[in-house]
Amino acid sequence: TALMGGDPMPDFLGIIVGHAYYFFARLYPLHSGRRSIIQTPKFVHALADYINSGNGVVSAASNVVQPPRQRYFAGQGRRLG
């Protein structure tokens, strides 16, 4: 973003928030022996369950037919010179 002339502040804030979440949700409980300070809201769990059940708007990309992989440079591999 910054290289293209955009505002880098949202990217930095995302990095800071992501690190804070990881610390309070994973590292702090692991090292202190206490419960996680941050809990995922129930509606997020319900939304993920709804989407993963196949009834949601978003579907997995596993149903997309992938084109056959094209081989480049499929010669016999002889050295030149």
Side-chain angles (χ1 to χ4, degrees):
T1 303
L3 294 176
M4 300 300 290
D7 184 19
M9 190 56 65
D11 294 337
F12 291 137
L13 288 175
I15 291 170
I16 291 170
V17 169
H19 278 80
Y21 174 81
Y22 182 74
F23 175 78
F24 287 117
R26 302 285 181 197
L27 295 180
Y28 177 75
L30 182 66
H31 293 291
S32 68
R34 298 181 185 174
R35 269 187 28 179
S36 177
I37 294 174
I38 299 175
Q39 298 293 324
T40 304
K42 291 182 182 180
F43 80 90
V44 174
H45 284 291
L47 180 64
D49 291 341
Y50 178 72
I51 290 173
N52 289 333
S53 69
N55 298 328
V57 177
V58 180
S59 61
S62 63
N63 60 355
V64 176
V65 176
Q66 296 292 330
R69 188 169 182 189
Q70 188 175 9
R71 287 189 59 193
Y72 296 102
F73 307 111
Q76 295 183 7
R78 297 179 188 227
R79 275 191 183 207
L80 299 176

